[in-house]
Amino acid sequence: MRLRPFIKAIATLLLLLAGVAAASAQTTKVRGRVTDESGQGIPFVAVYFDGTTVGITTDLDGYYNLENRNLSDKVLTAQLLGYDSQSRTVRPGAFSTVNFCLRLSDNRLAGAHVKADNKKARRLLANINAARSRNNPELHEKYKVRFYNKMELDLTHPETQLQGAVLRKKFDFVFDYIDTSAVSGVPYLPVMISETVAVKEHTNNPSATSEHIEANRISGVNPDMNLLSQFTGSMHLKVNFYNDFINAFDVQFPSPIMPSALLYYNYYIIDSLMVDGRKTLVVRYHPKPLVSTPAFDGEMRIDAEDFALQSIKATMKNEVNVNWLRDFVVEANYRRMPDSTWFYKSDGFYADFSMTMRDSSKVLSFIGRRSLTYDEPEFDFVPTVRRSDGPVKVAQDAGHMDEAYWQSVRPSPLTEKEQDVYKMVDEVKSLPIYRNLYTLTYTLVNGYWDIGAVGVGPFYQLISYSDLEGWRPYIGLRTSKDWSKKDRFTVFGAYGTHDRQFKGGFKWEHLVSREPWIKLEARAKYDIFQIGAGDNAIVEGNMFASMFGGSHGTRPCYMSEFRGSIAREVNPSFEYRAMARFRRFYATGDRYVPMIAPDGSLIPSVAVNELRLTARFTKDETVNKGYFMKHSLHSKWPMVELSLSGSIPGLRKGDVGYLQPELALHWKLRTPPFGMSDIWADAGTIIGQVPYPMLHVHEGNSTRLLNKQSFSCLDFFEFASDTWATLFWYHSLGGYLFGKIPLVRELKLREEFSFRATWGQLSERNDGNPTHFGGVASAVKAPMLFPLVYPGDASKAGIYMGSLGKTPYMEAGVGISNILSFLRVDCFWRLTYRDDPTRNFAWNIGAEFRF
């Protein structure tokens, strides 16, 4: 049996495990192209169902697509002034490809001539902007609205992806559910469906928004184990075109009605209609030729009296520098309220996700969709939302509503095939091959292979290599959610073939509450530890670090640790962590971490008895709360952490005392259309006399692996401080420059720039560098001598770890990312402390997955 097709089929079936989805088999779907007699596409042709307002105009190349849930509409017409109109009968409740070839009504005419009308568009956009305060739904003083949200996930080309006799036999029943996309024309299989009913409250003074999910169900998901409900409302993909940019999958698309939209789009005012007795302008927009940032192409309807957005359809242009998205369409509809303001009526999106942009039935891809319908809003009510409330609350019985409830709340009933999706997914889950594939997927994502109540892993640590340890086999076990959803126990053991030492550890986690998040943790371990590594460093105990040189040049020591902590979320913007930690660091010799007193005696180890309190502040943060872990997903505001730690001396042999306040910041600053900055900054000071393992050893990186929170041209143990401030700044232009260069644009590369700097001071009481005291080690006042930076290198003998002077250490870098959609290469140069020419330049390679 050939292995490659089988592996591909397994990867395909993994899509039956994840997401939220639905079918729409009883919708009339039409796509096609309108051309002239020469075969050229005709832009701006009105294509509509006769006797309805359901229609669209063709784009600049003559393409269109439409969907209509009214099965009584059967006649589709294409019409443009100067051409003979044509009508075709379509099959209701099915997908059809309908192409039109229009003839000029007068042979003396030259046909359609496309020219942007940006002068009129400038006046129209100015009027829209002037009326924004009245028409933007988010600018109401307050509102409360109930909505229904249906989300979908579909596997494309299922007959091709599920090929093979064994798989066809096992999954033959699913082919009864195949449908076709009106956007791309590809067949798809609905694999999951989610329905949600929620109430949203919003106030502007004070600014606060919350959603209360009253009901939710996801096909194939046990309602008592459903952690996805928090993502099925409207909070996590907000579609409001009155915002300057639409943030979708962390990609910023400029809104066609933003005040500066003429920088991005050409406009074509092509028609005026009467909709609900009101004059409505039909406007097409198209990205300007030199726009290299992500942009939309589509059509919108503007109320000509209120200058309000009535409806809009926005399609992502395929040539933009966006990964994993072959097609992306956003639609929104607004309604006029009795007080002449406007509010949401409905919105939705369509996204075709794929590992490659090639259009082939053999390419693995899936479709995600959302349709959200709003009830009539309330503006006169007593708000219950508070700024201290979480953004999303899920009712305890949200997953237990019966079918009668769902029938009563749906804006339109599910078709028979849509309802059968629930049954199909349950049947798929009962198959042994599904359970095996689920286990494989969970292992790849979480690192552990769960066998009932116990998991084995992490798989990426099972074997590794380092100079200190040699080969390091590793085994880890932890209890799974099948054992308990409140408590998790983890143990691990490792052995070094070179140092011949056993390492091991134990951890207990207890989730007291998910809302608000309260978690207890206790752990004990003995393992190697790298002093002066950045927070994201991969330096030891990792097979990928071993494969790519991650252990080269490291300076690890042994460390024992006993720790207990509590993390508590006070409100969505503030949480704190309290911790007691007892650590001991053991010397590992001159080559790695020597511990020598000024009098020349050897110090076997040093210890700290630390108490630490950390306060974390953020705003409008989207988080994923799992069974035992809480992950930050998105916030447009900076995250700030303020911590105070101190060690109590005199409790154990060789322990030290100090006080350490520290301030840290992380901010993903979006600057469309000029990309996004990623900023880390921290500052702190150590009050007291401590040996160098307790100092702030500035973050070095002697490997070829990119670590964004370390200095690529800085060796481990090169500088140390007891007062410091550090900045890491990275900026991606997202292809803004490369997108303007022919041929290079096709590669979809992205420009990367960086600046990294650290400043520090070292007091005399903590300075262990003998050269600062005339080369006399006994004159050093610090409790421990500093190590050599390059032990064993005769050409750099006598260079001890030092301190920064008045000049900060600085690096600058440039790079190219999105190579093959996930690789990046960065080059860095030292700007200061350039005495060693071998370390003035470094290059790193990294991997990152971004849309």
Side-chain angles (χ1 to χ4, degrees), residues 667-671 675-679 729-732:
W667 192 6
K668 287 191 174 182
L669 177 62
R670 292 161 179 82
T671 57
M676 181 178 72
S677 287
D678 207 358
I679 303 169
W729 173 75
Y730 298 86
H731 188 81
S732 174

Side-chain angles (χ1 to χ4, degrees), residues 617-636:
F617 305 88
T618 187
K619 182 180 179 182
D620 298 336
E621 182 182 33
T622 299
V623 298
N624 175 24
K625 296 181 179 180
Y627 288 106
F628 298 99
M629 299 298 292
K630 176 183 175 184
H631 299 286
S632 175
L633 299 179
H634 169 76
S635 176
K636 68 177 182 180

